Amino acid sequence: MTQASLFAGLSAFPLTPANASGKVETDALQTLVARGVAAGVDSICVMGSTGIYAYLTRAERRRAIDAAVSVAGSTPILAGIGALRSDEAIALARDAQEAGARGLLLAPMSYTPLTQDEVFEHFQSVASATNLPLCIYNNPSTTHFQFSLPLLRRLADIPTIVALKNPEPAQGSIAEELALLRTNLAAPFTLGYSGDWCAARALLAGADSWFSVVAGLFPVPALAMARAAQAGETDRVMQIDAQFAPLWALFKDFASLRVIYAAANLLALTDAQPPRPILPVPQEHTARLKAAIAPLVDWTAPWKTA
Amino acid sequence: MTQASLFAGLSAFPLTPANASGKVETDALQTLVARGVAAGVDSICVMGSTGIYAYLTRAERRRAIDAAVSVAGSTPILAGIGALRSDEAIALARDAQEAGARGLLLAPMSYTPLTQDEVFEHFQSVASATNLPLCIYNNPSTTHFQFSLPLLRRLADIPTIVALKNPEPAQGSIAEELALLRTNLAAPFTLGYSGDWCAARALLAGADSWFSVVAGLFPVPALAMARAAQAGETDRVMQIDAQFAPLWALFKDFASLRVIYAAANLLALTDAQPPRPILPVPQEHTARLKAAIAPLVDWTAPWKTA
């Protein structure tokens, strides 16, 4: 496996179950990781945005990686190492390497708005702190930072920076964006998408990866869609995507983080709630949520008896 | 002094000098606080945005408040207690009270975008954790949260929430905004502005307070402007504001945080830099910065020999 291909295919992003004080519930996390491993996802990334990296202490983040690695077998564990301070992100990168993570995911988390040069130096210092491959986590809705194309080119020249996780483009098609990025970022460089509702389009347009929140909870149907896309089975992709559609609608209404916690609660996989101030999906939407996950639960029926 | 009037007048927001690891340099902080006290500012708020609250640990934030309180005499020390987690903000509020802070400043810091209800519950839980008066810190450029008018009305009904710190309005005049807010928020409620470049306009329009970054470093001319405004001396206000104008231009070009660190370095008050990834103002702008602060330094000449 090349460094870049570590981030290719379906990467599952489970939530990180934690109690109200931010202590990670490692048993519940391991259950989620084991579901992904058994389904055969290509990698599992702990502490993405849904994995509440921004809300956990360094010690708890280390505990979460340790717990995930211990049940992952040969499935690569990736770890989100975003932090407001560069020294903290560097420490988190080293922790992740020590804990056995195989790759890093770095978002340009900000409070004071950052310049392009500041984000370059931040990524350079963090990417140089370990020899693990690193994926740029581009998520302006949470980081409020916009990567320019020149910045991406500079970052892609850093040896350990090998992948980009993009959101659905605000303008233009995913195919157009991929063509632009492939022209500008020297191969091998893995280009993938998050925002589960655009995954079918992204994969069919030739994206290398789907960085998936839903695969953190429903890895079997997510993997079925990813594999159908990799095989070029457009009709099959669209059929599976249609089964996810009611969930995508909920993601757009309440944000995927709130919805996936509520779904995990309904499946009795954890009773963890999002960290306050983030509130759960209001109770009156439970029937809608149950209906949205019903086809996915049936699909993963083997897990119900596991 | 009523609870609301605690936040009235000129509130100085010093930077928090800290080393590259985020350890607060309490001697340098005390020098900055003592300058404000000697000048006679109405309050001093440690750990505003320029006071890098978002980049310091709970322990360092406590050290900073302790240090400030110990040199503040009768000048009220206010403390920023923003945090991504509600339980953390509550702990910070209690720490601030224990350390002798007289009021709290709370920004709706976010990573996952927050709803109006989430911010209400966040503020309610934090405002209920102590009996200190609390000022709502509205700063969408860093928090990425927009307070609706209904939310402000709900918050103003919470007994300990007594003030609002607003940025320059994106649309309309400050006078129009103040009129709207005074109609909607039951008196006594203190309405003040940050964004130093709009301070003259805000004060002349009848704002109760100027929450001032520049007063954290140059309290004497800032206080002169505030007192002239309170006395209705429009010409004098505009004369003083004109002396600040080159600094306001730098604030707009590089953000006030970067500029005020560079100015403090030039004054040899601290050699602390902004926390990485935030970079200093590039060296090539030093001459411009020196020229901008020259009239303010002369104004504060007594301090140069202190």
Side-chain angles (χ1 to χ4, degrees), chain A residues 49 53 111 118 258 279, chain B residues 49 53 111 118 144 258 279:
Chain A
S49 290
Y53 79 87
Y111 178 76
E118 286 169 344
R258 294 183 188 87
L279 294 174
Chain B
S49 290
Y53 79 87
Y111 179 76
E118 286 169 345
H144 308 287
R258 295 183 188 85
L279 294 174

Side-chain angles (χ1 to χ4, degrees), chain B residues 190-251:
Chain B
T190 298
L191 297 174
Y193 284 82
S194 54
D196 285 340
W197 53 86
C198 80
R201 275 176 287 136
L203 292 169
L204 292 173
D208 301 312
S209 5
W210 175 17
F211 299 106
S212 173
V213 169
V214 84
L217 195 58
F218 299 107
V220 175
L223 193 65
M225 190 165 95
R227 294 291 181 253
Q230 288 169 326
E233 299 167 357
T234 303
D235 289 350
R236 179 84 178 131
V237 172
M238 302 316 288
Q239 283 166 3
I240 302 172
D241 190 50
Q243 293 197 262
F244 279 118
L247 193 63
W248 302 164
L250 281 158
F251 279 12

Side-chain angles (χ1 to χ4, degrees), chain B residues 25 67 94 108 124 130 136 139 163 166 188-189 220 234 247 278 306:
Chain B
E25 296 174 345
R94 291 180 176 144
Q124 186 176 49
T130 77
I136 300 164
N139 189 7
N166 254 357
F189 198 88
V220 175
T234 303
L247 193 63
I278 306 167

Side-chain angles (χ1 to χ4, degrees), chain A residues 74-89:
Chain A
S74 61
T75 303
I77 294 295
L78 316 174
I81 54 164
L84 286 175
R85 294 180 60 97
S86 295
D87 55 4
E88 179 82 358

